[in-house]
Amino acid sequence: MTMSDDDILAPRRFRSGSGSRATFSGKEARGPIIDQEGHEIRPETLEQGFREFRFEFGQGNPFGNLTREQRIARLEAIAKLLDVAFILPGTNIRYGIDGLIGLIPVVGDIITTAISLWLVREARALGAPWYITARMLGNVAVDGVVGMVPFAGDAFDVMFRANMRNVRLLRRWLEKQPRI
């Protein structure tokens, strides 16, 4: 069905003659408010719900109440994902999403550097001393600066593996610490 030029310039009127029935100027409800299960929600409980709105993640925040070992395992998993998650077919060269995201000029390197800095922050939160943190920041800085160079920087990202180096530094430091 094709539209005539008149229909495009002046849209058709509705059969009822009143145009659209929806009026958005009034505050009164046009019908009951229904939740996802099909139950009616009273307006007063809706207003109360907005004041008390918060997320529930089952048994607490999944990122806040982790043990020390769980946090270290999470850091190692993220470092592996960033640096050695995949194998280049036909070779023994491992790479991660750091090398893939780094292919996006400037923005990709900023994103991966931010994730690497988050890993350093987590190490500091685990109690890593300033000299370990400084070495970790040095690895991130080298990875971020050299990674900005097109193509050669991406190859360097694949070979340098700053995040794996940082997790190794943290793990070695933690092994020397007495267990509490």
Side-chain angles (χ1 to χ4, degrees), residues 117-177:
L117 288 172
W118 177 79
L119 291 173
V120 175
R121 183 213 160 272
E122 282 291 307
R124 187 70 181 151
L126 284 169
W130 67 270
Y131 61 91
I132 297 291
T133 308
R135 286 185 65 187
M136 293 173 82
L137 286 172
N139 287 337
V140 172
V142 167
D143 187 41
V145 170
V146 176
M148 292 278 189
V149 177
F151 300 112
D154 298 318
F156 179 79
D157 278 343
V158 170
M159 304 313 272
F160 186 64
R161 299 178 181 157
N163 300 302
M164 291 301 294
R165 287 174 188 253
N166 288 343
V167 168
R168 198 174 321 121
L169 277 170
L170 179 65
R171 181 58 89 175
R172 285 183 191 154
W173 176 77
L174 286 170
E175 287 172 358
K176 293 178 184 176
Q177 303 306 307

Side-chain angles (χ1 to χ4, degrees), residues 60-125:
N61 185 348
F63 302 113
N65 300 326
L66 299 177
T67 66
R68 184 180 185 120
E69 288 302 317
Q70 288 173 329
R71 291 174 80 176
I72 294 166
R74 180 179 62 180
L75 293 178
E76 287 176 342
I78 292 171
K80 286 179 182 177
L81 178 65
L82 286 170
D83 290 340
V84 294
F86 312 108
I87 299 175
L88 193 62
T91 67
N92 202 17
I93 299 172
R94 299 188 71 89
Y95 65 97
I97 61 171
D98 186 359
L100 296 175
I101 295 174
L103 291 172
I104 303 169
V106 182
V107 175
D109 294 308
I110 291 171
I111 291 170
T112 56
T113 301
I115 296 170
S116 297
L117 288 172
W118 177 79
L119 291 173
V120 175
R121 183 213 160 272
E122 282 291 307
R124 187 70 181 151

Side-chain angles (χ1 to χ4, degrees), residues 32-76:
I33 301 169
I34 308 293
D35 67 1
Q36 292 179 351
E37 286 85 30
H39 304 296
E40 186 175 345
I41 301 173
R42 295 190 323 262
E44 52 274 358
T45 59
L46 188 64
E47 291 172 6
Q48 177 185 4
F50 283 126
R51 279 185 258 129
E52 298 175 0
F53 182 73
R54 64 180 180 270
F55 286 105
E56 294 291 333
F57 287 110
Q59 296 182 2
N61 185 348
F63 302 113
N65 300 326
L66 299 177
T67 66
R68 184 180 185 120
E69 288 302 317
Q70 288 173 329
R71 291 174 80 176
I72 294 166
R74 180 179 62 180
L75 293 178
E76 287 176 342

